[in-house]
């Protein structure tokens, strides 16, 4: 890797400039926006032209944007897929046009696992959602060593993260024993709805010992609810976002899992560059970047990127 | 000329499902949730904490629903409220650290008024359909928010807004008791003064029922007198808006303008002023809500409140507001909001799977609205038949004189 | 143009006013008129002559295209009704713009300025006083949308009077009123005139006009064709002025007494509907024209709606052309019934549609190829026929019905049923707002329909008209059928007396006034 | 009586911004994008590939807009289309591997019809407001989708739907030429037969313009004759719906029902049947769209098409359809859809920053609608003045007879 980046600092002048398309999810959402930032920075470093398109969360739009990128004859497409199923068709289209495709923050193929990349991809750069759940579970077990009631705050209904980020979390609790999950309720990804869900759950179960919110925003909202209800429950989030890290520092949250969208975007561009310049060959691999658990003890190890 | 037997007394009208349906639906919902919750051995659903939660969660959407109702009464339509609130919140947080709370809030409210004014001008002066105008501003204003925030969420350091909008305020029990007694006394005085005591007393049910409610709260759930500031704001605005709509000429004119703009114009009412005023008012209050919303966590992100406009309109329509103008009651819209939030509170309390929440929510929404539409129609049919039976009091002799 | 006897300056001076609508219709082509204070100034003319246009201009609801109006000597620049109202002009418009979702009380005091507070108690008192003064009781709590059209007309009149105006513009206020309400209105007008209020009064009823007004202006095609004190004219002169060269024999012909009647095509037994009417029973034969007389709110409209299947709550039996009671208007139409509703704007036509599409609506399949593909040429041909037959005044059959004058719109509603297969006609105030010439045309047409074997049931508050054109008259009072009279053997006075609850068959209204019940 | 000079001839009406505004707006938008794009040295904006892209991207929403227009014409409102489409797509993909394409598609369409029927019954028979009913079904049906999919996206192995909905079909150039010539010939024949050749020829502009367009495409951009199947379906449905609405009794009655339900009812039209029919039709077509959408990727996920209903309604309203019923032209709604998608296509092609896209989109939406509202009003004002000036053409003989 060091070798390739060393090369890319001074791209050979005779070579035509590479154009990479980034078909992003929704740049008004902070996470994909940070991916785009990271990708732009890396592209500038590498001297690559980056065309970023924002589907604004609309699957059909993402599809047409990939078509537009194909029509523009870009050299490679980094797809931040909205959904693995439809994304496969997009990858097929790009592949048919002879354009290299890789994904960031997501994978392709409805009935696949992220570890098993679709063969027409060049690479996958993503976070290990299931692993993050496990990390959160480990933290939970440490936070509440004696067990107790646990409530899970999921995102809006219909998101895959609601299962991937939760399955190994509950597994970790079960392994330890002594925990009961008393509620699994949606917080719709926002602080306010996370707060409402936790308020309501606390009204029905005053003795919840731990809340696991699958995003930092919801976890922060949850923290506010806990404070207002004078509960001693601890909150664990996922994301390592600025709000989450701040909340860990001031004690509102117990811990989170550190996601790094900026690095992720950069890494995806790097991988695509390598693929286009022939440094990345062979069967596609899934790159899970490091997503460590963060608590007050090691909070400085996670520099928030979104 | 008028057949008095055929006329329903005022109180019967006031209590008919047609008029008070949303109240019944709300009570029914609370009853179902309370019973289910106690059957599952959970703490009382009607605990002060839970009721306060519902109120707090409803407060901001409730405020929006009040002024959406005003716009709907005026015969217009506003999809841009949620975006406007997002813009105001963003502006407030952007400015508060550098320029102080006052400037920040003022700027935020000015933004809201501006959006309202743009809507008003395009709809009333240019004559473009309100749906398309406010869909346009919904999109454009959201775009401005996105451009300002550039994909990042921001947090302010100045905590003035945070302190204000997460603050709580407690109504002293004594004051509550006085208010409760005063309301009941007012109802009685009004009834006695008018002569027809019994009938008037029943007709004034909102008054004494509110009084009893306040007394009951003060007596049995004094904790409920301690509410978050946005809840008090919602209650205050609902009261003021109700009183203005009901007891001032402005209110009458607003209903007239929405009910038949041509008739209102020919009666000398400045139709444009009322319709535009409603838009601007709605923009201003959307801005206030945006500031309160941003203040709740002292932070905003570009997707704040996305899609909120449909919830707001749903609350107003559930409260019986007509989409065609000329009718609507703000308090009922607030109750419509409470229904929506009670429902999601109930999901959380009963821990209903998130995949099924939408199914239940949609069904309850339609069921609530159907219930009181259907009963009010059956009611009418029943009523008509009953009256019909006693109608022809004087059997008239038919004088036939068919000639030729 | 006209000299001012006694040198009293006119309160209102209309000078060479033109009005061109956006459709291009040149509705007024230089109208001048002087209205002296404390008089009732009649404004008459055929349908589409421009009367309502002039009223709307005077009230500020429309602006002039050219010319000027002087009010109390100074030229006005009204651009909205609020200014005219502030200057003391109030109008009762032909189409009665009221707010249906508000109560009578709200409507009567709509737009009143002064105090910010809506003082309900005070307004209720004022309404009661006003009703007392006018002599017409109204319940302030009723929703205007629930009122019958006649009651709505009274609300509109009270709304105008409630402002205590110096000049009242009345545009066909009596078109929807029955004789007793008319009398109430006339009494009020006379009383107010005597206290100095000025009126401009538009009507198609020449007897009323001759009776009530002090001065008359006759419009024809947007021009003043006659401007004279009422005393110096007579009915014949007015008719000539109104219809111009069109020679119309509108003296009501005596009903053809010996006309052979066919079978019973409409048999009604114990039909009742809620509080509105019934139970009542009667028959109508083919070729028979039956009038339904009654006062405002006596249930005539409801009766027609029930016969037509439009009232689902109705009970009792109806036999239509040998088949049962239609369960809805669709069935009624299939069984050969036709209804001309009284509230034309709400029930009769589509304001945004052209004349020809409105007329063809009820029997579109008949005018269509394979009953599915409308044949525009045939529809238009039929519409042209209707324009000729009924003298609908319009530039083309492509005009929108909403842009027509009130009487012409009424003719369109009537025309909808003329050319189809209808054999039983239910006509609710078919001549409301229709001018003298056209009214006689319509009555002739009705008789021709009957001669062709149709059965006709006419509701109208014009008892004279009923007697002139019907074979038989049913009198309703408070929903009950109180008399069934052969029109040849009765007269207006008798019908009026029975309808209003005095006298019975044989009574002379001026003689014994015995209540029937 | 008649002042022929004052009357606008039919062709003037047909070409007025009021009637054809959306077409002008679309042309203006295309022109702006073409010029900007060529000024930036990009490939021609009007290339076959790009035009095909726009068409393909618009096709599904365009189909929904056609039948939304039908519902709006009938005087109702349907927010549930996007959810219904999602349900149908889900059902189709769930069933296709086990039960075959035919059963899957049938079941999907049955689901759509069912949702439409539920909407229809609640709105027409129970009498609940269409907004609240369809907001309820929007939510409930989405809930059903979520419950079926349980947070996962699914993919089918049977590629029948994929092949169908991503397939392309080419209209042979010869056929296109024949169609083009036939359209122009038809316009000429109609004009000649009616007598007033010149005027009729201008009035029939959609006919010969369409003919010319087809000829131009066949001659200069034959690649455009090769389109994705959904595009052909959209074109076909738009044609059929237009013809039915314009040339059949059913269409006429539908407009009547929406324009004045009471007048239509008293004219013997079965109002309920038409209004309910529109809902059911809309449900069925939403299901078809859902199946095509699912087929496009042979995959669905629980958030498929979320929020699509607003786009669909926006397209219809942009096309001039009234929200109050009784007016609307399906082809204009399709053009409204094209405007929306041309806009976002333009953003992509010109690479406008996504933060600003919403600002531009909202502004263009309002500007387009304002433009033709404003011009049509100015048009009238201008026109009025012109006539007024030449008004007193014939000095009228006033017969004064002031006596006494
Ligand atoms: N809003 C309008 N737009 C266009 N033309 C109109 C409009 N209102 C009236 N007209 C036309 O102006 C002419 C005069 O109409 P007006 O309503 O003044 O007649 P009127 O004398 O009141 O007739 P009626 O006795 O039938 O009420 C008619 O030809 C009518 O079609
Ligand atoms: N839509 C309605 N809702 C409630 N009451 C109504 C409605 N329409 C009519 N009524 C009442 O029914 C009774 C009969 O009215 P109807 O209109 O049939 O009388 P009418 O003889 O035709 O009088 P009019 O001359 O006013 O038309 C009246 O008391 C009237 O107030
Ligand atoms: Mg008139
Ligand atoms: Mg009547």
């Amino acid at each position: 890797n060091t070798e390739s980046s060393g090369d890319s600092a001074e791209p050979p002048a005779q070579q035509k400039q590479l154009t990479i398309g980034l078909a992003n999810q929704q740049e008004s959402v902070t996470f994909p926006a940070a991916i785009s930032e990271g990708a732009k920075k890396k592209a500038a470093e590498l001297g690559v032209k980056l065309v970023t398109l924002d589907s604004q969360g609309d699957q059909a739009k993402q599809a047409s944007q990939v078509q537009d990128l194909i029509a523009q004859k870009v050299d490679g497409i980094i797809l931040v897929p909205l959904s693995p199923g439809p994304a496969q068709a997009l990858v097929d289209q790009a592949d048919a046009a002879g354009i290299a495709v890789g994904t960031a923050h997501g994978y392709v193929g409805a009935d696949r696992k992220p570890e098993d990349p679709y063969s027409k991809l060049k690479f996958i750069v993503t976070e290990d959602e299931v692993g993050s759940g496990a990390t959160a579970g480990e933290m939970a077990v440490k936070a509440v060593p004696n067990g107790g009631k646990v409530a899970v705050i999921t995102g809006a209904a219909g998101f895959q993260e609601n299962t991937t980020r939760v399955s190994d979390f509950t597994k970790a609790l079960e392994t330890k024993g002594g925990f009961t999950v008393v509620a699994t309720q949606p917080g719709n990804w926002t602080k306010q709805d996370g707060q409402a869900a936790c308020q309501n759950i606390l009204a029905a179960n005053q003795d919840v010992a731990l809340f696991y919110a699958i995003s930092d925003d919801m976890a922060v909202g949850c923290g506010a609810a806990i404070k207002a209800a004078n509960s001693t429950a601890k909150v664990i989030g996922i994301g390592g976002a600025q709000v989450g890290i701040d909340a860990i520092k001031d004690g509102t949250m117990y811990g989170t899992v550190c996601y790094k969208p900026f690095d992720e975007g950069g890494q995806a561009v790097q991988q695509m560059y390598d693929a286009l310049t022939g440094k990345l060959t062979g069967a596609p691999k899934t790159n899970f970047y490091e997503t460590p658990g963060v608590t007050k003890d090691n909070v400085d190890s996670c520099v928030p990127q979104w | 000329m008028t057949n008095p037997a055929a006329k329903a007394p005022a109180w019967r009208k006031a209590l008919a499902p047609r008029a008070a349906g949303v109240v019944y639906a709300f009570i029914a919902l609370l009853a179902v949730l309370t019973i289910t919750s106690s059957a599952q051995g959970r703490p009382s659903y009607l605990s002060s904490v839970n009721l306060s939660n519902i109120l707090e969660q409803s407060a901001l959407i409730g405020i929006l629903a009040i002024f959406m109702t005003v716009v709907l009464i005026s015969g217009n339509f506003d999809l841009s409220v949620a975006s406007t609130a997002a813009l105001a919140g963003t502006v407030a947080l952007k400015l508060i650290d550098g320029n102080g709370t006052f400037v920040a809030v003022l700027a935020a409210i000015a933004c809201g008024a501006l959006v309202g004014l743009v809507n008003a001008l395009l709809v009333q002066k240019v004559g473009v359909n309100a749906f398309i105008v406010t869909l346009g501003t919904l999109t454009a204003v959201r775009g401005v928010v996105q451009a300002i925030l550039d994909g990042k969420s921001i947090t302010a350091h100045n905590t003035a807004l945070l302190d204000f909008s997460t603050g709580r305020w407690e109504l002293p029990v004594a004051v509550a008791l006085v208010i409760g007694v005063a309301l009941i006394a007012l109802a009685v005085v009004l009834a006695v003064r008018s002569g027809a005591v019994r009938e008037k007393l029943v007709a004034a049910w909102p008054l004494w029922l509110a009084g009893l409610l306040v007394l009951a709260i003060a007596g049995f759930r004094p904790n409920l007198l301690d509410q978050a500031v946005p809840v008090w704001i919602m209650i205050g605005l609902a009261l003021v808006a109700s009183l203005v709509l009901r007891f001032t000429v402005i209110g009458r004119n607003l209903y007239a303008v929405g009910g038949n703009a041509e008739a209102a114009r020919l009666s000398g009412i400045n139709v444009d002023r009322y319709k535009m005023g409603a838009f601007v008012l709605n923009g201003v209050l959307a801005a206030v809500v945006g500031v309160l919303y941003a203040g709740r966590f002292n932070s905003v992100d570009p997707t704040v409140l996305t899609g909120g406009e449909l919830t707001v309109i749903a609350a107003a329509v559930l409260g019986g507001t007509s989409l065609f103008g000329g009718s609507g009651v703000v308090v009922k819209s607030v109750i419509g909001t409470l229904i929506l939030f009670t429902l999601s509170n109930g999901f959380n309390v009963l821990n209903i799977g998130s995949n099924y929440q939408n199914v239940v929510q949609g069904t309850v929404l339609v069921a609530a609205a159907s219930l009181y539409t259907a009963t009010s129609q059956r009611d009418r049919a029943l009523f008509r038949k009953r009256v019909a039976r006693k109608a022809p009091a004087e059997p008239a002799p038919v004088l036939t004189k068919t000639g030729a | 143009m006209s000299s001012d006897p006694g040198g009293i300056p006119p309160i209102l001076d209309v000078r060479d006013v033109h009005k061109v609508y956006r459709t291009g219709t040149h509705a007024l082509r230089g109208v001048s008129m002087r209205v002296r204070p404390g008089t009732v100034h009649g404004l008459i003319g055929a349908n589409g002559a421009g009367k309502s246009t002039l009223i709307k201009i005077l009230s500020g609801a429309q602006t002039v295209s050219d010319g000027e109006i002087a009010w109390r000597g100074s030229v006005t620049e009204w651009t909205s009704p609020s200014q005219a109202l502030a200057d003391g002009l109030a109008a009762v418009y032909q189409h009665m713009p009221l707010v249906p979702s508000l109560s009578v009380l709200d409507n009567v005091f709509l737009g009143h300025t002064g105090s910010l507070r809506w003082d309900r108690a005070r307004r209720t008192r004022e309404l009661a006083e006003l009703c007392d003064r006018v002599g017409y009781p109204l319940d302030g709590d009723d929703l205007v949308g629930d009122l019958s059209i006649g009651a709505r007309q009274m609300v509109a009149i009270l709304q105008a009077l409630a402002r205590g105006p110096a000049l009242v513009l009345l545009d066909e206020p009596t078109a929807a009123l029955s004789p007793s309400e008319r009398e109430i209105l006339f009494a009020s007008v006379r009383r107010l005139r005597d206290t100095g209020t000025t009126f401009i009064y538009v009507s198609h009823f020449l007897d009323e006009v001759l009776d009530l007004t002090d001065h008359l202006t006759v419009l024809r095609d947007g021009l003043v064709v006659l401007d004279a004190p009422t005393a110096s004219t007579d009915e014949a002169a007015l008719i000539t002025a109104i219809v111009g060269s069109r020679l119309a024999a509108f003296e009501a012909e005596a009903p053809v007494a010996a006309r052979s009647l066919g079978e019973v095509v409409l048999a009604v037994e114990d039909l009742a509907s809620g509080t509105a009417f019934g139970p009542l029973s009667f028959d109508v034969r083919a070729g028979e024209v039956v009038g339904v007389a009654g006062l405002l709110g006596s249930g005539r409209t409801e009766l027609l709606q029930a016969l037509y299947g439009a009232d689902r709550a109705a009970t009792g039996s109806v036999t239509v052309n040998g088949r049962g009671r239609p369960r809805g208007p669709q069935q009624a139409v299939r069984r050969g019934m036709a209804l001309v509703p009284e509230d034309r704007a709400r029930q009769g036509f589509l304001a945004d549609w052209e004349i020809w599409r409105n007329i063809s609506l009820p029997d579109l399949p008949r005018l269509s190829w394979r009953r599915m593909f409308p044949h525009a040429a045939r529809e238009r041909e039929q519409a042209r026929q209707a324009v000729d037959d009924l003298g609908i005044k319009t530039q083309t059959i492509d005009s929108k019905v909403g842009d027509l004058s009130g009487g012409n719109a009424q003719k369109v509603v009537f025309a909808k049923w003329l050319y189809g297969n209808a054999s039983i006609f239910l006509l609710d105030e078919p001549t409301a707002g229709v001018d003298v010439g056209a009214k006689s045309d319509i009555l002739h047409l009705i008789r021709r329909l009957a001669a062709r074997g149709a059965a006709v049931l006419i509701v109208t508050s014009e008892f004279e008209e009923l007697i002139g054109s019907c074979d038989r008259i049913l009198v309703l009072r408070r929903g009950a059928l109180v008399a069934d009279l052969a029109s040849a053997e009765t007269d207006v006075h008798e019908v009026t007396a029975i309808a209003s609850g005095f006298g019975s068959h044989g009574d002379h209204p001026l003689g014994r006034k015995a209540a029937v019940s």
Side-chain angles (χ1 to χ4, degrees), chain A residues 26-31 33-34 37 56 154-155 157-158 162 181-186 190-193 195-201 203-206 217 220-221 224 243 246, chain B residues 42-44 47 49-50 53-54 56-57 146 150-153 155 168 293-294 296-297 299-304 341 344-355 357-358:
Chain A
Q26 186 168 13
E27 295 196 353
S28 58
V29 175
T30 46
F31 196 95
E37 291 303 312
Q56 295 172 322
T154 60
N162 296 347
V181 176
V182 294
T184 305
Q185 288 297 309
T190 66
K191 297 187 191 79
Q192 282 79 3
D193 287 2
Q195 182 185 25
C198 290
Q199 274 178 341
N200 297 336
I201 291 171
N205 312 274
Q206 274 110 339
D217 271 332
V220 168
V243 280
D246 289 349
Chain B
R42 296 172 190 276
S44 165
S47 67
V49 175
N50 201 42
N53 283 347
I54 296 176
E56 191 179 335
Q57 289 156 21
Q146 288 165 352
D150 191 24
K152 295 183 187 62
S153 67
T155 305
R168 299 184 79 82
Y293 193 91
R296 212 152 125 194
F297 289 97
S299 139
V300 286
D301 68 73
T303 56
V304 149
F341 282 88
S344 46
N345 170 280
F347 293 145
N348 292 343
V349 168
L350 301 179
N351 193 28
I352 291 177
S354 70
N355 282 335
Q357 293 190 0
N358 277 331

Side-chain angles (χ1 to χ4, degrees), chain C residues 89-221:
Chain C
L89 283 85
V92 174
Y93 297 93
Q94 188 174 11
H95 62 114
M96 289 186 283
L98 296 171
V99 186
S101 52
L102 290 182
S103 68
V104 168
L105 189 70
D106 293 332
N107 269 285
V108 168
F109 296 102
L110 196 63
H112 276 238
T113 48
S115 73
L116 183 63
R117 173 156 169 254
W118 169 251
D119 190 340
R120 198 185 151 75
R122 190 182 116 212
R123 294 302 188 198
T124 309
R125 245 180 293 120
E126 285 178 6
L127 177 66
E129 279 168 27
L130 194 62
C131 287
D132 265 2
R133 239 186 302 139
V134 173
Y136 184 83
L138 270 173
D139 184 338
D141 290 333
D142 282 342
L143 278 192
V144 162
D146 289 343
L147 294 182
S148 72
I149 192 158
R152 267 184 271 155
Q153 180 71 66
M154 291 307 288
V155 172
I157 292 169
L158 291 187
Q159 186 190 50
L161 297 183
R163 291 179 182 263
L167 174 65
V168 188
L169 308 158
L170 295 168
D171 195 353
E172 299 196 29
T174 53
L177 297 185
S178 69
S180 59
E181 285 83 22
R182 262 174 224 187
E183 280 312 321
I184 291 171
L185 174 67
F186 293 164
S188 295
V189 169
R190 291 202 179 94
R191 199 178 54 245
L192 286 168
R193 174 189 58 192
D194 294 342
T195 60
T197 308
T198 313
F199 288 86
I200 295 182
Y201 182 84
V202 178
S203 176
H204 288 296
F205 300 113
L206 296 184
D207 49 345
E208 278 178 9
V209 167
L210 288 168
D211 192 26
L212 190 67
T213 62
D214 303 302
H215 194 96
L216 276 175
T217 300
V218 183
L219 292 183
R220 194 198 313 149
D221 291 345

Side-chain angles (χ1 to χ4, degrees), chain B residues 1-3, chain C residues 145-151 176 178 275-276 294-303 342 346 428-429 459 461:
Chain B
M1 220 133 293
T2 335
N3 185 347
Chain C
D146 289 343
L147 294 182
S148 72
I149 192 158
S178 69
T275 51
L295 300 185
L296 197 74
S298 54
R300 299 163 298 167
T301 298
E302 299 268 331
L303 170 62
E342 88 186 312
R346 216 157 50 165
D428 201 351
E429 311 278 2
V459 167
S461 300

Side-chain angles (χ1 to χ4, degrees), chain B residues 1-3 5-7 10 13 18 193 200 244-270 274 325-327 381 383-385 387-389 391-392 394-404, chain C residues 59-62 79-82 85 93 95 97-102 106 110-112 115-119 136-137 139 141-142 159 163 181 257 273-275 278-279 288 296 311 313 472 477-478 480-486 489-490 494 498 504-505 516-517:
Chain B
M1 220 133 293
T2 335
N3 185 347
K7 235 184 121 49
K13 256 199 221 157
R18 189 196 170 97
R193 239 191 23 184
K200 275 284 161 173
V244 169
L245 284 176
R246 215 178 140 76
F247 295 113
T248 70
V249 171
I250 295 176
R252 292 290 100 182
N253 288 355
L254 194 79
Y255 280 104
V257 159
N260 184 346
E262 176 67 1
R265 188 179 80 92
L266 293 175
S267 300
I269 297 171
N270 192 332
Y274 280 90
S327 81
F383 185 62
R384 201 186 301 169
K385 225 174 272 166
V387 180
R389 238 173 284 127
E394 45 177 318
V398 179
L399 315 173
T400 27
K401 187 183 164 186
T402 6
Chain C
S59 75
Q62 290 274 4
T79 52
S80 79
S82 55
L85 284 165
Y93 297 93
H95 62 114
L98 296 171
V99 186
S101 52
L102 290 182
D106 293 332
L110 196 63
H112 276 238
S115 73
L116 183 63
R117 173 156 169 254
W118 169 251
D119 190 340
Y136 184 83
D139 184 338
D141 290 333
D142 282 342
Q159 186 190 50
R163 291 179 182 263
E181 285 83 22
S273 173
T275 51
E288 196 175 23
L296 197 74
D311 177 0
R472 207 147 56 88
R477 179 152 53 86
R478 291 209 205 155
L481 184 57
V482 292
D484 185 343
L485 313 163
E489 295 169 27
T490 186
E494 186 185 32
I498 296 175
S504 60
H505 164 221
V516 177
S517 48

